[in-house]
Amino acid sequence: MPDTRYAVAAVLVAAPVTWALRALPFAALAPLRASASVHYLSTRMPAGVMVILVVYCLRDLPLPQPRALAPLAALAVTIVLHLWRRNALLSILGGTAVHVALAGTVLAH
């Protein structure tokens, strides 16, 4: 067990370092908020990230096999729900439910 002086010194060093590391991103991002590049990226990145995730998840999908039905149906349900309700949580939950229901059937294997 370390002595009390060592523990107090460790806390006195760790506390300001932790505070500084947590405050640093906010201080660094403050000047970037008015940047045209950051504004452009903030409007385009969510869709771009989703496209990359979809391509990554479906890249090895064997389309002629029946097991491709579950992910493709889940993707279709997710897209339709999102276009219909514009609610990300509903879209994710709906697509996940369809995938789980179809992946558990014999047809999906």
Side-chain angles (χ1 to χ4, degrees):
M1 180 83 146
D3 68 13
T4 306
R5 290 182 299 168
Y6 178 80
V8 169
V11 169
L12 289 176
V13 170
V17 169
T18 301
W19 183 86
L21 288 174
R22 290 180 183 244
L24 183 64
F26 294 102
L29 289 177
L32 295 175
R33 295 197 193 279
S35 168
S37 298
V38 172
H39 178 69
Y40 175 80
L41 288 174
S42 71
T43 59
R44 302 291 190 260
M45 274 191 79
V49 169
M50 293 308 295
V51 168
I52 291 169
L53 285 172
V54 168
V55 169
Y56 177 78
C57 290
L58 300 179
R59 75 180 193 276
D60 294 329
L61 193 64
L63 292 178
Q65 296 181 10
R67 68 182 187 150
L69 176 67
L72 293 176
L75 176 63
V77 167
T78 302
I79 291 170
V80 167
L81 280 173
H82 190 71
L83 292 175
W84 177 47
R85 302 300 292 178
R86 297 278 184 204
N87 185 329
L89 182 61
L90 176 65
S91 305
I92 293 167
L93 290 177
T96 301
V98 168
H99 186 271
V100 168
L102 291 177
T105 65
V106 178
L107 179 62
H109 297 286

